[in-house]
Amino acid sequence: MLLLAAAFIVAFVLLLYMVSPLISPKSLKLPGAHVVVTGGSSGIGKCIAIECYKQGAFITLIARDENKLLQTKKEIEKYSVNDKQVVLCISVDVSKDYEQVENVLKQAQEKLGPVDMLVNCAGTSVTGKFEDIEVHSFERLMAVNYLGSVYPSRAVIATMKERRMGRIVFVSSQAGQLGLFGYTAYSPTKFALRGLAEALQMEVKPYNVYVTVAYPPDTDTPGFAEESKTKPLETKLISETSSVCQAEQVARVIVKDAIQGNFNSSVGSDGYMLSILTSGMSPVTSITEGLQQVVCMGIFRIIGLFYLGSFDSIVRRCMMQREKSESADKTE
C-alpha cells in the first residue's frame, strides 16, 4: 500500500513537471530588446544594466546624478556584444513629477524603440528606531521607493499591453517580506511594491505582460554601505545572521527570473525560504512552483519561528544592556 502511494506521488510530481512548461510564459529574448533601468547609475541597478547589455540589449539608464550616469555608461559599453548596441542616459528624479517621467520615457522609446523590460531599481533607505526617524523621512521613502516605481511603470504599461509583450520588475527587499527592527520607514515602502505587483499582474497577464518582484538580501552596494553607518545595534546584530551578497550575483538572478516571467525572484536559501513563507495569494508561474509552496510551507514556518525567536532575543538583550548601562551612569 505504501509503495502504491509512493508511486502515485512520484507519478503526480512527474506529471506536474511535464505540464508546467505548457502554462509558463515564454522567455523574453534580450538581444535587441530595449531595457530601461531606473536607479541604474550604481549598485544592483548598474549590475542589472550590465547583465542585460552583455546579452545584447539596448539600455536606457535613469538616475538623478548625471555625472554618475555618464561614468556608468562608459563602464557598461565595455561589455557590448555588437556595434549596434546603445546606452542612453537620462537624468531625472522618477519620484517627483509623473509628467516629466512620462516625457523622458517617450523620448527614450523614440530613440530606442518600445520598452520591452522596465526594471524599477531606484530606491533609498533610512534606518533607526521608529521614534527617532524624522517624519519627513517616511514621506520621502514612500515617494522614492514606491511612487518612484509607480510612475515609470504607469508610463510604459499601455504600450506593453498594446504590443502584447513586456516585463516589469520591482526591486523590493527581504525587508519587504519581513519587518525588522530599525526598518519602520523602509520596510512599508518595500511591502507596498508587493501589493502593487500582485494587483498589476492580475491586470496585465492576459496581455502577455509579466511582473516580477525581486527580494534581494543585504547586498554589497554603495547604498548598503551608507545605510550601515546609521544602523541601530539591534539591526546590525540581526543582519549578521545572514551573509552579504555581491551585486553581480543578485543582478544575474533578477534578470534570469524577469525574462522567464517569474513573479518572485529571490537569492540564496534564506531568500527561497522567505519566498515560500510569504507566498500567500501571490501568483505562481508554474504548477511546480505552487507545489513547492504547498509542500514546504509547514516546515519553513517552523524554521522561521526559530529565526523570529532569535531576533526577539537580540532585541531584548540589547534593551537590557542599554538599561543596565543607563542605570550605571545615573549611580555614578
Side-chain angles (χ1 to χ4, degrees):
M1 191 67 179
L2 288 175
L3 288 175
L4 184 61
F8 176 78
I9 292 172
V10 171
F12 180 64
V13 171
L14 288 174
L15 179 62
L16 288 178
Y17 272 102
M18 292 173 63
V19 175
S20 178
L22 300 178
I23 65 170
S24 299
K26 291 183 179 179
S27 294
L28 176 71
K29 299 185 184 301
L30 282 182
H34 181 191
V35 178
V36 175
V37 184
T38 71
S41 62
S42 65
I44 295 174
K46 180 175 78 172
C47 290
I48 288 175
I50 290 174
E51 182 65 26
C52 292
Y53 200 69
K54 285 179 178 179
Q55 298 187 40
F58 290 68
I59 306 294
T60 294
L61 291 177
I62 297 178
R64 290 175 298 176
D65 192 319
E66 189 171 358
N67 290 329
K68 279 187 179 181
L69 279 171
L70 294 176
Q71 292 173 6
T72 302
K73 172 183 168 71
K74 292 179 181 179
E75 186 175 345
I76 293 174
E77 287 175 338
K78 297 176 183 177
Y79 298 95
S80 65
V81 295
N82 61 66
D83 56 6
K84 295 181 180 180
Q85 284 179 277
V86 175
V87 179
L88 176 66
C89 293
I90 299 177
S91 175
V92 67
D93 187 335
V94 293
S95 67
K96 284 191 173 181
D97 185 342
Y98 171 69
E99 290 186 358
Q100 187 178 20
V101 173
E102 186 180 35
N103 287 334
V104 297
L105 280 169
K106 282 182 178 178
Q107 294 171 19
Q109 293 185 92
E110 288 172 0
K111 293 179 180 179
L112 301 182
V115 176
D116 296 292
M117 183 162 78
L118 167 66
V119 183
N120 292 291
C121 204
T124 187
S125 175
V126 171
T127 57
K129 294 180 183 177
F130 182 65
E131 67 272 22
D132 293 337
I133 299 175
E134 297 290 340
V135 172
H136 73 84
S137 293
F138 290 88
E139 299 169 347
R140 182 170 66 89
L141 261 65
M142 187 57 77
V144 175
N145 295 348
Y146 178 68
L147 293 179
S149 293
V150 170
Y151 292 167
S153 302
R154 177 69 172 73
V156 303
I157 197 66
T159 304
M160 285 185 175
K161 289 170 70 175
E162 288 172 3
R163 298 175 64 224
R164 296 294 197 273
M165 64 173 293
R167 298 286 190 271
I168 294 181
V169 181
F170 297 107
V171 179
S172 179
S173 164
Q174 286 188 353
Q177 296 172 294
L178 170 68
L180 293 172
F181 190 106
Y183 287 110
T184 52
Y186 178 73
S187 280
T189 65
K190 295 300 187 176
F191 268 87
L193 291 176
R194 160 76 174 268
L196 169 63
E198 288 190 4
L200 182 59
Q201 178 65 98
M202 193 173 289
E203 288 189 20
V204 301
K205 188 176 180 180
Y207 298 89
N208 194 38
V209 177
Y210 287 88
V211 177
T212 297
V213 189
Y215 300 104
D218 287 342
T219 306
D220 186 11
T221 64
F224 178 70
E226 192 64 29
E227 172 194 311
S228 298
K229 295 178 182 178
T230 59
K231 279 183 179 178
L233 176 60
E234 293 88 341
T235 309
K236 290 180 179 179
L237 292 174
I238 290 172
S239 297
E240 288 175 359
T241 61
S242 60
S243 58
V244 177
C245 289
Q246 296 300 308
E248 294 82 2
Q249 175 193 4
V250 173
R252 283 194 295 271
V253 173
I254 292 174
V255 171
K256 179 181 177 182
D257 286 328
I259 63 178
Q260 289 178 349
N262 294 335
F263 183 77
N264 286 301
S265 178
S266 60
V267 179
S269 56
D270 286 349
Y272 176 74
M273 183 179 73
L274 273 174
S275 289
I276 296 289
L277 280 173
T278 60
S279 56
M281 288 292 288
S282 65
V284 293
T285 310
S286 68
I287 296 176
T288 306
E289 183 184 1
L291 180 64
Q292 290 173 348
Q293 293 169 357
V294 171
V295 171
C296 297
M297 180 73 77
I299 186 66
F300 283 176
R301 177 57 175 166
I302 294 172
I303 297 172
L305 290 175
F306 279 102
Y307 271 97
L308 290 173
S310 68
F311 296 161
D312 287 340
S313 178
I314 289 171
V315 173
R316 191 179 302 108
R317 188 167 66 249
C318 288
M319 181 191 72
M320 293 173 65
Q321 290 176 351
R322 190 175 292 110
E323 289 181 344
K324 185 177 180 180
S325 177
E326 291 174 353
S327 178
D329 290 341
K330 289 179 181 179
T331 57
E332 289 180 355

